[in-house]
Amino acid sequence: MKYFITTAIDYTNGDPHIGHAYEKILADVIARYHRTFEGPTFFLTGVDQHGQKVQQAAQKSGVQPFDFAQEVTRKFLALWDKLEIRKDGWAATTDPRHKKAVQKVLQSLYEKGELVKAKYSGYYSVRQEQFLTDKERNEAGVFGTEWGEVILLEEENWYFPLLKHKEWLKNFVEKHPDFVTPAFRRNELLNAIDRLSGDLCVSRPKERLFWGIEFPFDPNYVTFVWFDALLNYVSFAGYLSDSDPSLPDFTELWPCKAHIIGKDILVPAHGIYWPIMLHAMGFSDEQMPRLLVHGWWNISGAKMSKSLGNTVDPDILADRYGADALRYYLMRDNNVGHDSDYSEENLVKRNNSDLANDLGNLVNRTISMSRRYRGGRIDPVELNDDDLNSIRDLANSVTGRYRAAFERFEVHHAIEAAWELVTRANALVEQKAPWKLAKEPAATELLHAVLYTLAESVRLLALMVSPVIPTASEKILAQLRAADIRTLEWGGLPSGHELDEPFPIFPKFDL
Ligand code: MSP
């Protein structure tokens, strides 16, 4: 069984922004952690290419929705490459393999009586092309001008009966605390389930929305975009693929260990529609995925949005500071599950202080001193020295806490734990002053032990930061000539090991 991890798929109605980048980096970091330290991993991410938003954006630009979605998809793909997102699968919802799976699911739900055709009549906004409910009325009790012309419309559509499964869902969420992380989001979901009062309309008549997957048994309709998009998590994992060799083996991957989504799409999409869809499709409670719900990146406390014109372009930031600095900042300055405020100033500060000063100096000093005083050779010398013993104990405690933090998806805590070792190892350099020991013949053993302790600390750190800053990590491991020593146990560097030339890894930036 592989560790299967996925993210929300991004709408292709506009350019990627820092919020999209954060989510993919978070998922990539967790995937890299598992690949390196736990075992085989499959990371799926992709793009949501259908629906009204894409159809409208394409119309505005005067191009076909397919071409529009392809162009935006290219931007996402190029950005993920630049940000070192190492994905194993790519879910693009116009892919014929996905379309086939969606239609098979619709057909089988229809045959099971889980889809019903019904007439609905209500207020409909022509401009927004959606039915309006009382929630959309303003304080004066009317539909505001933002909805344009509002007409009474009667329309026949296909409905997916959510209410029938409400009790099951409530029980399931109550009995499975790990369905939603963090815990406070689970309470929010339980409240939403209690309020659930209607079924889900899963079709759109083609005359008002043509950009979607056609109903296999009723070709005048296309599939509602969420119903289509949610199924990406199983279609691109090989579900109902008739062993298509271009897709993974579904039984190897499912159930998903982490669906990473933003807080805005827990209710109703991932917390209500998705588990009920799986349940109706015949998945057991044990086959339900686990949701990891992250917070938002805001700008000075305000929501980032295209209409406010305050979005931040991760592509420019990656060009300016490099992928590692951006990845580090987004992982270090966010408490997973909670919101964060984006600031370029903080990005630069984090880079300069944590990466260039703390970690960069430690690596550089360790390797330079080992070359200078021992020609690059290091040996594990057993000495009963309190400082050296305690740093070894600290390293063991740090690697333990680092792993535990990752198991809870708390990437920022994993980084904080690693930095305890960075700080301590830097302090050891000052404490033991190897440049003095090198001048005292009686201190040779101690010098060897200190240099080994530093090199081994640096090796463990390079491994621990590898999910977050993969490029810098590889460079550190290359200087240590330790690329293939992957253990998080103390003592991985063997006796007589030789280090390579030092060279600076982390650039500093001016504010
Ligand atoms: N297409 C749907 C998801 C379908 S999943 C079956 C969608 N797309 S989106 O492009 O609007 O958002 C994609 C992801 O980015 C979501 O998880 C969303 O929460 C996340 N973010 C969008 N803006 C964000 C921030 N400002 N900060 C952090 N993440 C945010 O929703």
Side-chain angles (χ1 to χ4, degrees), residues 7-11 17 19-20 22-24 48 226 229-230 232-233 260-265 270 294-298 304:
T7 71
I9 50 173
D10 299 307
Y11 278 129
H17 60 64
H20 299 126
Y22 162 75
E23 182 178 277
K24 298 320 134 181
D48 192 350
W226 274 103
L230 286 163
N232 94 84
Y233 302 129
I260 302 191
I261 56 166
K263 63 179 185 179
D264 55 318
I265 56 174
H270 287 80
H294 63 74
W296 273 42
W297 280 84
N298 300 321
M304 200 185 306

PDB file of all heavy atoms in Angstrom, residues 7-11 17 19-20 22-24 48 226 229-230 232-233 260-265 270 294-298 304, ligand 1:
ATOM      1  N   THR A   7      -4.224  16.954  -3.348  1.00  0.00           N
ATOM      2  CA  THR A   7      -4.655  18.306  -2.971  1.00  0.00           C
ATOM      3  C   THR A   7      -5.931  18.635  -3.736  1.00  0.00           C
ATOM      4  O   THR A   7      -6.295  17.916  -4.663  1.00  0.00           O
ATOM      5  CB  THR A   7      -3.633  19.376  -3.393  1.00  0.00           C
ATOM      6  OG1 THR A   7      -3.679  19.482  -4.824  1.00  0.00           O
ATOM      7  CG2 THR A   7      -2.234  19.024  -2.952  1.00  0.00           C
ATOM      8  N   ALA A   8      -6.529  19.754  -3.391  1.00  0.00           N
ATOM      9  CA  ALA A   8      -7.608  20.302  -4.224  1.00  0.00           C
ATOM     10  C   ALA A   8      -7.034  20.517  -5.617  1.00  0.00           C
ATOM     11  O   ALA A   8      -5.829  20.716  -5.778  1.00  0.00           O
ATOM     12  CB  ALA A   8      -8.081  21.630  -3.656  1.00  0.00           C
ATOM     13  N   ILE A   9      -7.898  20.458  -6.627  1.00  0.00           N
ATOM     14  CA  ILE A   9      -7.414  20.803  -7.970  1.00  0.00           C
ATOM     15  C   ILE A   9      -7.815  22.255  -8.244  1.00  0.00           C
ATOM     16  O   ILE A   9      -8.913  22.688  -7.911  1.00  0.00           O
ATOM     17  CB  ILE A   9      -7.939  19.814  -9.038  1.00  0.00           C
ATOM     18  CG1 ILE A   9      -9.458  19.619  -8.946  1.00  0.00           C
ATOM     19  CG2 ILE A   9      -7.235  18.475  -8.893  1.00  0.00           C
ATOM     20  CD1 ILE A   9     -10.031  18.779 -10.078  1.00  0.00           C
ATOM     21  N   ASP A  10      -6.877  22.993  -8.818  1.00  0.00           N
ATOM     22  CA  ASP A  10      -7.054  24.448  -8.943  1.00  0.00           C
ATOM     23  C   ASP A  10      -7.895  24.819 -10.159  1.00  0.00           C
ATOM     24  O   ASP A  10      -7.712  24.279 -11.247  1.00  0.00           O
ATOM     25  CB  ASP A  10      -5.674  25.107  -9.066  1.00  0.00           C
ATOM     26  CG  ASP A  10      -4.833  24.833  -7.836  1.00  0.00           C
ATOM     27  OD1 ASP A  10      -5.312  25.102  -6.724  1.00  0.00           O
ATOM     28  OD2 ASP A  10      -3.701  24.330  -7.991  1.00  0.00           O
ATOM     29  N   TYR A  11      -8.767  25.797  -9.961  1.00  0.00           N
ATOM     30  CA  TYR A  11      -9.573  26.294 -11.076  1.00  0.00           C
ATOM     31  C   TYR A  11      -8.674  26.889 -12.155  1.00  0.00           C
ATOM     32  O   TYR A  11      -7.738  27.635 -11.844  1.00  0.00           O
ATOM     33  CB  TYR A  11     -10.514  27.415 -10.612  1.00  0.00           C
ATOM     34  CG  TYR A  11     -11.778  26.917  -9.973  1.00  0.00           C
ATOM     35  CD1 TYR A  11     -12.171  27.413  -8.743  1.00  0.00           C
ATOM     36  CD2 TYR A  11     -12.574  25.980 -10.599  1.00  0.00           C
ATOM     37  CE1 TYR A  11     -13.335  26.971  -8.136  1.00  0.00           C
ATOM     38  CE2 TYR A  11     -13.739  25.540 -10.003  1.00  0.00           C
ATOM     39  CZ  TYR A  11     -14.115  26.026  -8.779  1.00  0.00           C
ATOM     40  OH  TYR A  11     -15.266  25.590  -8.188  1.00  0.00           O
ATOM     41  N   HIS A  17      -1.938  31.899  -7.753  1.00  0.00           N
ATOM     42  CA  HIS A  17      -1.410  32.874  -6.796  1.00  0.00           C
ATOM     43  C   HIS A  17      -0.783  32.142  -5.611  1.00  0.00           C
ATOM     44  O   HIS A  17      -0.727  30.911  -5.588  1.00  0.00           O
ATOM     45  CB  HIS A  17      -2.477  33.893  -6.375  1.00  0.00           C
ATOM     46  CG  HIS A  17      -3.684  33.290  -5.724  1.00  0.00           C
ATOM     47  ND1 HIS A  17      -3.633  32.612  -4.526  1.00  0.00           N
ATOM     48  CD2 HIS A  17      -4.989  33.276  -6.109  1.00  0.00           C
ATOM     49  CE1 HIS A  17      -4.846  32.205  -4.193  1.00  0.00           C
ATOM     50  NE2 HIS A  17      -5.689  32.590  -5.147  1.00  0.00           N
ATOM     51  N   GLY A  19      -1.665  31.493  -2.662  1.00  0.00           N
ATOM     52  CA  GLY A  19      -2.490  30.528  -1.927  1.00  0.00           C
ATOM     53  C   GLY A  19      -2.429  29.152  -2.585  1.00  0.00           C
ATOM     54  O   GLY A  19      -2.284  28.131  -1.916  1.00  0.00           O
ATOM     55  N   HIS A  20      -2.516  29.134  -3.924  1.00  0.00           N
ATOM     56  CA  HIS A  20      -2.394  27.851  -4.636  1.00  0.00           C
ATOM     57  C   HIS A  20      -1.023  27.251  -4.364  1.00  0.00           C
ATOM     58  O   HIS A  20      -0.890  26.048  -4.142  1.00  0.00           O
ATOM     59  CB  HIS A  20      -2.538  28.050  -6.152  1.00  0.00           C
ATOM     60  CG  HIS A  20      -3.865  28.612  -6.568  1.00  0.00           C
ATOM     61  ND1 HIS A  20      -3.985  29.731  -7.347  1.00  0.00           N
ATOM     62  CD2 HIS A  20      -5.134  28.207  -6.308  1.00  0.00           C
ATOM     63  CE1 HIS A  20      -5.267  29.991  -7.554  1.00  0.00           C
ATOM     64  NE2 HIS A  20      -5.983  29.086  -6.936  1.00  0.00           N
ATOM     65  N   TYR A  22       1.023  27.707  -1.860  1.00  0.00           N
ATOM     66  CA  TYR A  22       1.165  27.219  -0.478  1.00  0.00           C
ATOM     67  C   TYR A  22       0.626  25.793  -0.353  1.00  0.00           C
ATOM     68  O   TYR A  22       1.269  24.916   0.229  1.00  0.00           O
ATOM     69  CB  TYR A  22       0.421  28.156   0.478  1.00  0.00           C
ATOM     70  CG  TYR A  22       0.149  27.507   1.813  1.00  0.00           C
ATOM     71  CD1 TYR A  22       1.174  27.339   2.734  1.00  0.00           C
ATOM     72  CD2 TYR A  22      -1.127  27.031   2.129  1.00  0.00           C
ATOM     73  CE1 TYR A  22       0.938  26.705   3.953  1.00  0.00           C
ATOM     74  CE2 TYR A  22      -1.367  26.405   3.337  1.00  0.00           C
ATOM     75  CZ  TYR A  22      -0.337  26.245   4.237  1.00  0.00           C
ATOM     76  OH  TYR A  22      -0.570  25.610   5.423  1.00  0.00           O
ATOM     77  N   GLU A  23      -0.564  25.575  -0.896  1.00  0.00           N
ATOM     78  CA  GLU A  23      -1.193  24.251  -0.742  1.00  0.00           C
ATOM     79  C   GLU A  23      -0.375  23.155  -1.417  1.00  0.00           C
ATOM     80  O   GLU A  23      -0.175  22.081  -0.855  1.00  0.00           O
ATOM     81  CB  GLU A  23      -2.606  24.297  -1.336  1.00  0.00           C
ATOM     82  CG  GLU A  23      -3.353  22.992  -1.171  1.00  0.00           C
ATOM     83  CD  GLU A  23      -4.765  23.086  -1.739  1.00  0.00           C
ATOM     84  OE1 GLU A  23      -5.655  23.581  -1.036  1.00  0.00           O
ATOM     85  OE2 GLU A  23      -4.946  22.685  -2.892  1.00  0.00           O
ATOM     86  N   LYS A  24       0.128  23.455  -2.632  1.00  0.00           N
ATOM     87  CA  LYS A  24       0.911  22.427  -3.337  1.00  0.00           C
ATOM     88  C   LYS A  24       2.226  22.180  -2.609  1.00  0.00           C
ATOM     89  O   LYS A  24       2.693  21.052  -2.530  1.00  0.00           O
ATOM     90  CB  LYS A  24       1.236  22.829  -4.785  1.00  0.00           C
ATOM     91  CG  LYS A  24       0.063  23.047  -5.710  1.00  0.00           C
ATOM     92  CD  LYS A  24      -1.096  22.086  -5.574  1.00  0.00           C
ATOM     93  CE  LYS A  24      -2.336  22.910  -5.576  1.00  0.00           C
ATOM     94  NZ  LYS A  24      -3.617  22.332  -5.437  1.00  0.00           N
ATOM     95  N   ASP A  48      -8.746  21.938 -12.262  1.00  0.00           N
ATOM     96  CA  ASP A  48     -10.191  21.822 -12.402  1.00  0.00           C
ATOM     97  C   ASP A  48     -10.550  22.646 -13.640  1.00  0.00           C
ATOM     98  O   ASP A  48     -10.524  23.876 -13.598  1.00  0.00           O
ATOM     99  CB  ASP A  48     -10.795  22.429 -11.122  1.00  0.00           C
ATOM    100  CG  ASP A  48     -12.265  22.132 -10.950  1.00  0.00           C
ATOM    101  OD1 ASP A  48     -12.873  21.618 -11.889  1.00  0.00           O
ATOM    102  OD2 ASP A  48     -12.798  22.431  -9.856  1.00  0.00           O
ATOM    103  N   TRP A 226     -18.523  20.536  -9.414  1.00  0.00           N
ATOM    104  CA  TRP A 226     -17.982  19.925  -8.185  1.00  0.00           C
ATOM    105  C   TRP A 226     -18.074  18.416  -8.203  1.00  0.00           C
ATOM    106  O   TRP A 226     -17.195  17.713  -7.717  1.00  0.00           O
ATOM    107  CB  TRP A 226     -18.705  20.484  -6.948  1.00  0.00           C
ATOM    108  CG  TRP A 226     -18.078  21.740  -6.471  1.00  0.00           C
ATOM    109  CD1 TRP A 226     -18.534  22.999  -6.663  1.00  0.00           C
ATOM    110  CD2 TRP A 226     -16.843  21.864  -5.751  1.00  0.00           C
ATOM    111  NE1 TRP A 226     -17.670  23.904  -6.109  1.00  0.00           N
ATOM    112  CE2 TRP A 226     -16.630  23.239  -5.541  1.00  0.00           C
ATOM    113  CE3 TRP A 226     -15.904  20.952  -5.278  1.00  0.00           C
ATOM    114  CZ2 TRP A 226     -15.509  23.724  -4.858  1.00  0.00           C
ATOM    115  CZ3 TRP A 226     -14.790  21.427  -4.602  1.00  0.00           C
ATOM    116  CH2 TRP A 226     -14.599  22.796  -4.397  1.00  0.00           C
ATOM    117  N   ALA A 229     -15.300  17.394 -10.434  1.00  0.00           N
ATOM    118  CA  ALA A 229     -13.967  17.661  -9.886  1.00  0.00           C
ATOM    119  C   ALA A 229     -13.620  16.737  -8.722  1.00  0.00           C
ATOM    120  O   ALA A 229     -12.496  16.235  -8.633  1.00  0.00           O
ATOM    121  CB  ALA A 229     -13.877  19.120  -9.444  1.00  0.00           C
ATOM    122  N   LEU A 230     -14.568  16.510  -7.819  1.00  0.00           N
ATOM    123  CA  LEU A 230     -14.268  15.665  -6.655  1.00  0.00           C
ATOM    124  C   LEU A 230     -13.838  14.264  -7.083  1.00  0.00           C
ATOM    125  O   LEU A 230     -12.980  13.641  -6.451  1.00  0.00           O
ATOM    126  CB  LEU A 230     -15.489  15.589  -5.722  1.00  0.00           C
ATOM    127  CG  LEU A 230     -15.743  16.856  -4.907  1.00  0.00           C
ATOM    128  CD1 LEU A 230     -17.165  16.865  -4.350  1.00  0.00           C
ATOM    129  CD2 LEU A 230     -14.731  16.989  -3.762  1.00  0.00           C
ATOM    130  N   ASN A 232     -11.944  13.436  -9.294  1.00  0.00           N
ATOM    131  CA  ASN A 232     -10.542  13.337  -9.743  1.00  0.00           C
ATOM    132  C   ASN A 232      -9.707  12.503  -8.780  1.00  0.00           C
ATOM    133  O   ASN A 232      -8.770  11.826  -9.182  1.00  0.00           O
ATOM    134  CB  ASN A 232      -9.936  14.731  -9.918  1.00  0.00           C
ATOM    135  CG  ASN A 232      -9.185  15.210  -8.687  1.00  0.00           C
ATOM    136  OD1 ASN A 232      -8.014  14.894  -8.480  1.00  0.00           O
ATOM    137  ND2 ASN A 232      -9.872  15.964  -7.823  1.00  0.00           N
ATOM    138  N   TYR A 233     -10.074  12.573  -7.480  1.00  0.00           N
ATOM    139  CA  TYR A 233      -9.271  11.866  -6.472  1.00  0.00           C
ATOM    140  C   TYR A 233      -9.292  10.360  -6.669  1.00  0.00           C
ATOM    141  O   TYR A 233      -8.371   9.673  -6.232  1.00  0.00           O
ATOM    142  CB  TYR A 233      -9.795  12.177  -5.061  1.00  0.00           C
ATOM    143  CG  TYR A 233      -9.817  13.639  -4.703  1.00  0.00           C
ATOM    144  CD1 TYR A 233     -10.970  14.235  -4.193  1.00  0.00           C
ATOM    145  CD2 TYR A 233      -8.680  14.423  -4.851  1.00  0.00           C
ATOM    146  CE1 TYR A 233     -10.991  15.573  -3.841  1.00  0.00           C
ATOM    147  CE2 TYR A 233      -8.701  15.770  -4.504  1.00  0.00           C
ATOM    148  CZ  TYR A 233      -9.864  16.334  -3.999  1.00  0.00           C
ATOM    149  OH  TYR A 233      -9.883  17.654  -3.643  1.00  0.00           O
ATOM    150  N   ILE A 260      -5.496  17.284   0.953  1.00  0.00           N
ATOM    151  CA  ILE A 260      -5.156  18.605   1.471  1.00  0.00           C
ATOM    152  C   ILE A 260      -5.998  19.670   0.766  1.00  0.00           C
ATOM    153  O   ILE A 260      -5.930  19.808  -0.461  1.00  0.00           O
ATOM    154  CB  ILE A 260      -3.648  18.871   1.310  1.00  0.00           C
ATOM    155  CG1 ILE A 260      -2.909  17.758   2.059  1.00  0.00           C
ATOM    156  CG2 ILE A 260      -3.291  20.254   1.828  1.00  0.00           C
ATOM    157  CD1 ILE A 260      -1.457  17.984   2.243  1.00  0.00           C
ATOM    158  N   ILE A 261      -6.787  20.378   1.557  1.00  0.00           N
ATOM    159  CA  ILE A 261      -7.706  21.377   0.988  1.00  0.00           C
ATOM    160  C   ILE A 261      -7.711  22.631   1.859  1.00  0.00           C
ATOM    161  O   ILE A 261      -7.342  22.581   3.031  1.00  0.00           O
ATOM    162  CB  ILE A 261      -9.156  20.832   0.922  1.00  0.00           C
ATOM    163  CG1 ILE A 261      -9.619  20.387   2.326  1.00  0.00           C
ATOM    164  CG2 ILE A 261      -9.271  19.697  -0.069  1.00  0.00           C
ATOM    165  CD1 ILE A 261     -11.114  20.164   2.431  1.00  0.00           C
ATOM    166  N   GLY A 262      -8.183  23.733   1.288  1.00  0.00           N
ATOM    167  CA  GLY A 262      -8.317  24.965   2.051  1.00  0.00           C
ATOM    168  C   GLY A 262      -9.621  24.977   2.835  1.00  0.00           C
ATOM    169  O   GLY A 262     -10.563  24.233   2.526  1.00  0.00           O
ATOM    170  N   LYS A 263      -9.681  25.839   3.839  1.00  0.00           N
ATOM    171  CA  LYS A 263     -10.841  25.880   4.741  1.00  0.00           C
ATOM    172  C   LYS A 263     -12.143  26.236   4.015  1.00  0.00           C
ATOM    173  O   LYS A 263     -13.221  25.880   4.474  1.00  0.00           O
ATOM    174  CB  LYS A 263     -10.577  26.886   5.870  1.00  0.00           C
ATOM    175  CG  LYS A 263     -10.397  28.318   5.380  1.00  0.00           C
ATOM    176  CD  LYS A 263     -10.169  29.279   6.527  1.00  0.00           C
ATOM    177  CE  LYS A 263     -10.115  30.708   6.004  1.00  0.00           C
ATOM    178  NZ  LYS A 263      -9.907  31.690   7.075  1.00  0.00           N
ATOM    179  N   ASP A 264     -12.031  26.933   2.874  1.00  0.00           N
ATOM    180  CA  ASP A 264     -13.236  27.363   2.160  1.00  0.00           C
ATOM    181  C   ASP A 264     -13.944  26.225   1.450  1.00  0.00           C
ATOM    182  O   ASP A 264     -15.102  26.369   1.060  1.00  0.00           O
ATOM    183  CB  ASP A 264     -12.870  28.444   1.122  1.00  0.00           C
ATOM    184  CG  ASP A 264     -11.781  27.971   0.163  1.00  0.00           C
ATOM    185  OD1 ASP A 264     -10.824  27.336   0.623  1.00  0.00           O
ATOM    186  OD2 ASP A 264     -11.906  28.231  -1.051  1.00  0.00           O
ATOM    187  N   ILE A 265     -13.268  25.084   1.250  1.00  0.00           N
ATOM    188  CA  ILE A 265     -13.918  24.017   0.487  1.00  0.00           C
ATOM    189  C   ILE A 265     -14.130  22.755   1.324  1.00  0.00           C
ATOM    190  O   ILE A 265     -14.317  21.675   0.783  1.00  0.00           O
ATOM    191  CB  ILE A 265     -13.189  23.724  -0.843  1.00  0.00           C
ATOM    192  CG1 ILE A 265     -11.716  23.375  -0.614  1.00  0.00           C
ATOM    193  CG2 ILE A 265     -13.300  24.912  -1.785  1.00  0.00           C
ATOM    194  CD1 ILE A 265     -11.014  22.933  -1.904  1.00  0.00           C
ATOM    195  N   HIS A 270     -16.027  19.048   0.404  1.00  0.00           N
ATOM    196  CA  HIS A 270     -15.244  17.875   0.815  1.00  0.00           C
ATOM    197  C   HIS A 270     -15.754  17.199   2.084  1.00  0.00           C
ATOM    198  O   HIS A 270     -15.449  16.040   2.329  1.00  0.00           O
ATOM    199  CB  HIS A 270     -13.770  18.261   1.006  1.00  0.00           C
ATOM    200  CG  HIS A 270     -13.060  18.500  -0.281  1.00  0.00           C
ATOM    201  ND1 HIS A 270     -13.177  19.683  -0.973  1.00  0.00           N
ATOM    202  CD2 HIS A 270     -12.253  17.711  -1.027  1.00  0.00           C
ATOM    203  CE1 HIS A 270     -12.464  19.604  -2.078  1.00  0.00           C
ATOM    204  NE2 HIS A 270     -11.888  18.426  -2.133  1.00  0.00           N
ATOM    205  N   HIS A 294      -6.300  23.298   5.558  1.00  0.00           N
ATOM    206  CA  HIS A 294      -5.381  24.390   5.902  1.00  0.00           C
ATOM    207  C   HIS A 294      -6.091  25.736   5.876  1.00  0.00           C
ATOM    208  O   HIS A 294      -7.187  25.879   5.331  1.00  0.00           O
ATOM    209  CB  HIS A 294      -4.159  24.394   4.970  1.00  0.00           C
ATOM    210  CG  HIS A 294      -4.496  24.651   3.526  1.00  0.00           C
ATOM    211  ND1 HIS A 294      -4.840  25.898   3.050  1.00  0.00           N
ATOM    212  CD2 HIS A 294      -4.534  23.824   2.453  1.00  0.00           C
ATOM    213  CE1 HIS A 294      -5.062  25.816   1.751  1.00  0.00           C
ATOM    214  NE2 HIS A 294      -4.894  24.566   1.363  1.00  0.00           N
ATOM    215  N   GLY A 295      -5.427  26.729   6.481  1.00  0.00           N
ATOM    216  CA  GLY A 295      -5.983  28.073   6.506  1.00  0.00           C
ATOM    217  C   GLY A 295      -5.586  28.852   5.259  1.00  0.00           C
ATOM    218  O   GLY A 295      -5.066  28.295   4.299  1.00  0.00           O
ATOM    219  N   TRP A 296      -5.844  30.128   5.302  1.00  0.00           N
ATOM    220  CA  TRP A 296      -5.575  30.981   4.149  1.00  0.00           C
ATOM    221  C   TRP A 296      -4.406  31.906   4.387  1.00  0.00           C
ATOM    222  O   TRP A 296      -4.121  32.288   5.504  1.00  0.00           O
ATOM    223  CB  TRP A 296      -6.822  31.818   3.839  1.00  0.00           C
ATOM    224  CG  TRP A 296      -7.744  31.069   2.937  1.00  0.00           C
ATOM    225  CD1 TRP A 296      -8.048  29.739   3.031  1.00  0.00           C
ATOM    226  CD2 TRP A 296      -8.445  31.577   1.810  1.00  0.00           C
ATOM    227  NE1 TRP A 296      -8.898  29.394   2.025  1.00  0.00           N
ATOM    228  CE2 TRP A 296      -9.165  30.499   1.260  1.00  0.00           C
ATOM    229  CE3 TRP A 296      -8.537  32.835   1.217  1.00  0.00           C
ATOM    230  CZ2 TRP A 296      -9.963  30.640   0.129  1.00  0.00           C
ATOM    231  CZ3 TRP A 296      -9.346  32.978   0.100  1.00  0.00           C
ATOM    232  CH2 TRP A 296     -10.040  31.892  -0.436  1.00  0.00           C
ATOM    233  N   TRP A 297      -3.763  32.268   3.289  1.00  0.00           N
ATOM    234  CA  TRP A 297      -2.776  33.345   3.325  1.00  0.00           C
ATOM    235  C   TRP A 297      -3.504  34.628   2.959  1.00  0.00           C
ATOM    236  O   TRP A 297      -4.140  34.717   1.902  1.00  0.00           O
ATOM    237  CB  TRP A 297      -1.629  33.069   2.349  1.00  0.00           C
ATOM    238  CG  TRP A 297      -0.666  32.098   2.945  1.00  0.00           C
ATOM    239  CD1 TRP A 297      -0.769  30.739   2.927  1.00  0.00           C
ATOM    240  CD2 TRP A 297       0.512  32.411   3.690  1.00  0.00           C
ATOM    241  NE1 TRP A 297       0.278  30.185   3.625  1.00  0.00           N
ATOM    242  CE2 TRP A 297       1.085  31.181   4.095  1.00  0.00           C
ATOM    243  CE3 TRP A 297       1.159  33.601   4.063  1.00  0.00           C
ATOM    244  CZ2 TRP A 297       2.259  31.108   4.847  1.00  0.00           C
ATOM    245  CZ3 TRP A 297       2.324  33.527   4.804  1.00  0.00           C
ATOM    246  CH2 TRP A 297       2.856  32.300   5.196  1.00  0.00           C
ATOM    247  N   ASN A 298      -3.433  35.604   3.858  1.00  0.00           N
ATOM    248  CA  ASN A 298      -4.077  36.890   3.641  1.00  0.00           C
ATOM    249  C   ASN A 298      -3.030  37.964   3.410  1.00  0.00           C
ATOM    250  O   ASN A 298      -1.836  37.735   3.601  1.00  0.00           O
ATOM    251  CB  ASN A 298      -4.919  37.260   4.871  1.00  0.00           C
ATOM    252  CG  ASN A 298      -6.001  36.222   5.130  1.00  0.00           C
ATOM    253  OD1 ASN A 298      -6.615  35.712   4.195  1.00  0.00           O
ATOM    254  ND2 ASN A 298      -6.224  35.894   6.385  1.00  0.00           N
ATOM    255  N   MET A 304      -7.146  37.676  -0.010  1.00  0.00           N
ATOM    256  CA  MET A 304      -6.454  37.940  -1.265  1.00  0.00           C
ATOM    257  C   MET A 304      -7.426  37.599  -2.398  1.00  0.00           C
ATOM    258  O   MET A 304      -8.027  36.532  -2.394  1.00  0.00           O
ATOM    259  CB  MET A 304      -5.278  36.971  -1.332  1.00  0.00           C
ATOM    260  CG  MET A 304      -4.176  37.333  -2.260  1.00  0.00           C
ATOM    261  SD  MET A 304      -2.954  35.999  -2.317  1.00  0.00           S
ATOM    262  CE  MET A 304      -2.517  35.756  -0.626  1.00  0.00           C
TER     263      MET A 304
HETATM  264  N1  MSP B   1     -11.475  23.923  -8.060  1.00  0.00           N
HETATM  265  C1  MSP B   1     -11.849  24.012  -6.678  1.00  0.00           C
HETATM  266  C2  MSP B   1     -11.391  22.777  -5.912  1.00  0.00           C
HETATM  267  C3  MSP B   1     -11.917  21.473  -6.454  1.00  0.00           C
HETATM  268  S1  MSP B   1     -11.262  20.121  -5.561  1.00  0.00           S
HETATM  269  C4  MSP B   1     -12.176  18.811  -6.098  1.00  0.00           C
HETATM  270  C5  MSP B   1     -11.178  25.242  -6.044  1.00  0.00           C
HETATM  271  N2  MSP B   1     -10.184  25.798  -6.740  1.00  0.00           N
HETATM  272  S2  MSP B   1      -9.406  27.117  -6.298  1.00  0.00           S
HETATM  273  O1  MSP B   1      -8.447  27.360  -7.334  1.00  0.00           O
HETATM  274  O2  MSP B   1     -10.317  28.165  -5.987  1.00  0.00           O
HETATM  275  O3  MSP B   1      -8.675  26.781  -4.962  1.00  0.00           O
HETATM  276  C6  MSP B   1      -7.737  25.712  -4.939  1.00  0.00           C
HETATM  277  C7  MSP B   1      -7.171  25.545  -3.547  1.00  0.00           C
HETATM  278  O4  MSP B   1      -6.418  26.699  -3.208  1.00  0.00           O
HETATM  279  C8  MSP B   1      -8.252  25.391  -2.466  1.00  0.00           C
HETATM  280  O5  MSP B   1      -7.920  24.367  -1.555  1.00  0.00           O
HETATM  281  C9  MSP B   1      -8.256  26.727  -1.792  1.00  0.00           C
HETATM  282  O6  MSP B   1      -8.625  26.664  -0.445  1.00  0.00           O
HETATM  283  C10 MSP B   1      -6.801  27.118  -1.931  1.00  0.00           C
HETATM  284  N3  MSP B   1      -6.634  28.562  -1.785  1.00  0.00           N
HETATM  285  C11 MSP B   1      -7.172  29.541  -2.574  1.00  0.00           C
HETATM  286  N4  MSP B   1      -6.813  30.750  -2.055  1.00  0.00           N
HETATM  287  C12 MSP B   1      -6.055  30.578  -0.939  1.00  0.00           C
HETATM  288  C13 MSP B   1      -5.326  31.418  -0.097  1.00  0.00           C
HETATM  289  N5  MSP B   1      -5.359  32.731  -0.194  1.00  0.00           N
HETATM  290  N6  MSP B   1      -4.543  30.832   0.854  1.00  0.00           N
HETATM  291  C14 MSP B   1      -4.411  29.464   0.951  1.00  0.00           C
HETATM  292  N7  MSP B   1      -5.062  28.657   0.151  1.00  0.00           N
HETATM  293  C15 MSP B   1      -6.045  29.163  -0.682  1.00  0.00           C
HETATM  294  O7  MSP B   1     -11.581  25.623  -4.962  1.00  0.00           O
END
